[in-house]
Amino acid sequence: MQALVGGTVYTVTNGVIENGTVLIDGGKIIEVGEKVAIPAGCTLVDVSGKKVFPGLIDAHTHLGIFEEVYRVEGSDGNETSDPVTPELRAVDAINPGDAAFADALSGGVTTVVIGPGSANVIGGEMVVLKTAGNLVDKMVVKKAGIKAALGENPKRVYGGDKKAPITRMANALLLRRALAETINFIEKKSNERNLKLEALVPVIEGKLPLRIHAHRADDIATAVRIAKEFNIKITIEHCTEGYKVADLLAENNIPVVIGPIITNRAKVELQGVSLQNAAALHAAGVKFAIMTDHPEVPIHYLSLSAALTLRAGLPEEEMLKAITINAAEILGLEDRLGSIEANKDADLIVTNYPLYDIRCQVEQLYIQGERVNW
């Protein structure tokens, strides 16, 4: 058992505690507060003058799949042989030895979502991982959903070969067709295995979301249209022009993961990029998290990405939620992650300055109560 004592504790869900104590045992937070009885024999960690935050969550990355340094050898995010590949699993391509895992730790990121790229209309299964470890199977927390993509990317990858999808219409058609075939597969109750359709069964049954890459407002609207047509859960990934359709997203209770924040207009569908996106979504009542889309933005800049939204009017409390509890709720992990509360995983970071301060450095990091170095 150990106790972090004397720091300013940002619980996220229950305010800020000055001169607080966080009691940890068995990988879990036992108690947090200003006056916590510390049991005999407990190891004390003095964090006086420091800030204590829950471990950060990056809800959309390609960590360990698009590896740094190894550009071709470590590029395993897009299987461009078939535009519909829900049966692929990101977990089979992740290299925990990717140097970016150490970067994640240095930036206070203790949990990540890793998924295939956006070359395919349906790219495969995304997964939630803790960022410390050398064996992916022991780092896995849960499945995160099935990656899908609308808009420019699938068109560009396959259209040049005169193969569907060439148009946005075909993007939507291929997605609809795969969902319809899965419904037929379920209804037939066949004993014959079909890995492609089996992967989509949890989406049709509402057990996993379809996580749809969509930048432009029209693509976001298409994603919402298909979700309603098939009565499935979705999240919008990137959601660059979300501010244009914020009311649509709010009305349909669709969460989004926005970003990368630190980006230019690198392709046509990013022409509407705006730093005001986060504040507009918040004002409309849309649940959102912030991503780096690593390696598009290096993962250790997650907190910096979030901090930039303050410039455009997002309240500081909401900025912090976007990389902690909101991300946890979108992933269905709010009972374990995203805030400093009793019974949650003891994923904690200790910093010298608040997360929005450019001078902020992570000085200590704990994952499930274990001190982790990088």
Side-chain angles (χ1 to χ4, degrees):
M1 183 176 290
Q2 55 188 325
L4 277 60
V5 299
T8 301
V9 180
Y10 292 75
T11 68
V12 178
T13 51
N14 292 300
V16 179
I17 303 171
E18 301 289 347
N19 193 27
T21 295
V22 183
L23 190 63
I24 303 168
D25 191 33
K28 296 288 185 179
I29 298 167
I30 303 302
E31 189 176 355
V32 56
E34 188 175 355
K35 296 179 180 179
V36 174
I38 299 176
C42 181
T43 300
L44 300 182
V45 181
D46 186 0
V47 292
S48 299
K50 307 299 182 182
K51 317 297 180 184
V52 183
F53 295 93
L56 308 185
I57 303 170
D58 194 331
H60 181 121
T61 79
H62 306 287
L63 200 68
I65 284 185
F66 290 125
E67 295 180 52
E68 297 195 31
V69 183
Y70 300 102
R71 304 309 300 168
V72 176
E73 301 87 344
S75 181
D76 290 304
N78 285 311
E79 180 57 48
T80 55
S81 58
D82 183 343
V84 180
T85 56
E87 69 272 34
L88 297 180
R89 300 176 185 178
V91 71
D92 294 324
I94 298 168
N95 176 12
D98 182 5
F101 277 97
D103 290 341
L105 297 171
S106 74
V109 181
T110 56
T111 304
V112 292
V113 173
I114 301 174
S118 52
N120 292 351
V121 173
I122 306 180
E125 184 182 278
M126 304 174 76
V127 64
V128 185
L129 258 67
K130 295 294 181 78
T131 50
N134 54 22
L135 181 63
V136 168
D137 303 79
K138 292 184 177 181
M139 299 161 69
V140 169
V141 177
K142 64 176 291 190
K143 298 176 182 179
I146 301 294
K147 175 71 179 291
L150 298 174
E152 183 179 324
N153 286 13
K155 284 180 52 181
R156 183 179 66 250
V157 171
Y158 293 96
D161 294 330
K162 303 299 181 183
K163 179 180 179 181
I166 297 174
T167 64
R168 279 181 161 79
M169 293 182 292
N171 281 343
L173 169 63
L174 291 178
L175 182 51
R176 283 192 174 98
R177 180 182 293 163
L179 294 171
E181 288 175 351
T182 304
I183 291 172
N184 292 338
F185 174 74
I186 293 170
E187 291 176 348
K188 287 178 181 177
K189 298 180 180 178
S190 172
N191 292 323
E192 184 177 341
R193 297 295 303 274
N194 184 322
L195 294 179
K196 178 170 285 192
L197 299 181
E198 286 174 22
L200 287 171
V201 168
V203 172
I204 295 298
E205 293 180 342
K207 296 175 181 177
L208 281 180
L210 199 63
R211 302 187 54 157
I212 305 177
H213 163 118
H215 285 283
R216 257 173 35 178
D218 56 337
D219 291 322
I220 296 168
T222 297
V224 174
R225 190 179 311 121
I226 292 172
K228 293 169 71 173
E229 181 180 338
F230 287 90
N231 192 29
I232 59 174
K233 297 177 182 177
I234 66 168
T235 66
I236 302 298
E237 309 288 311
H238 301 296
C239 203
T240 299
E241 293 186 356
Y243 59 91
K244 295 183 178 181
V245 288
D247 289 343
L248 175 69
L249 293 166
E251 288 166 9
N252 289 279
N253 197 30
I254 294 174
V256 305
V257 184
I258 65 171
I261 303 295
I262 307 170
T263 188
N264 63 354
R265 298 174 183 86
K267 53 185 177 180
V268 172
E269 61 187 12
L270 288 178
Q271 64 181 321
V273 67
S274 171
L275 198 57
Q276 283 73 35
N277 195 22
L281 290 169
H282 169 60
V286 178
K287 175 84 66 179
F288 71 93
I290 291 172
M291 67 159 92
T292 61
D293 197 24
H294 178 92
E296 292 299 319
V297 171
I299 192 164
H300 47 294
Y301 295 146
L302 177 62
S303 62
L304 176 60
S305 298
L308 287 173
T309 63
L310 299 178
R311 230 183 242 185
L314 186 69
E316 181 184 339
E317 180 181 354
E318 297 303 320
M319 178 275 294
L320 181 55
K321 287 181 178 179
I323 49 177
T324 54
I325 194 63
N326 283 6
E329 290 176 354
I330 290 170
L331 298 174
L333 286 167
E334 65 273 20
D335 61 330
R336 289 186 56 182
L337 305 173
S339 61
I340 302 179
E341 297 181 74
N343 301 316
K344 289 197 173 185
D345 289 4
D347 293 355
L348 304 165
I349 58 174
V350 179
T351 70
N352 56 346
Y353 287 96
L355 289 176
Y356 58 76
D357 194 306
I358 192 66
R359 297 168 294 178
C360 177
Q361 293 183 347
V362 176
E363 297 183 348
Q364 298 178 40
L365 180 144
Y366 299 82
I367 294 183
Q368 293 181 282
E370 295 291 329
R371 176 82 178 264
V372 178
N373 296 314
W374 53 90

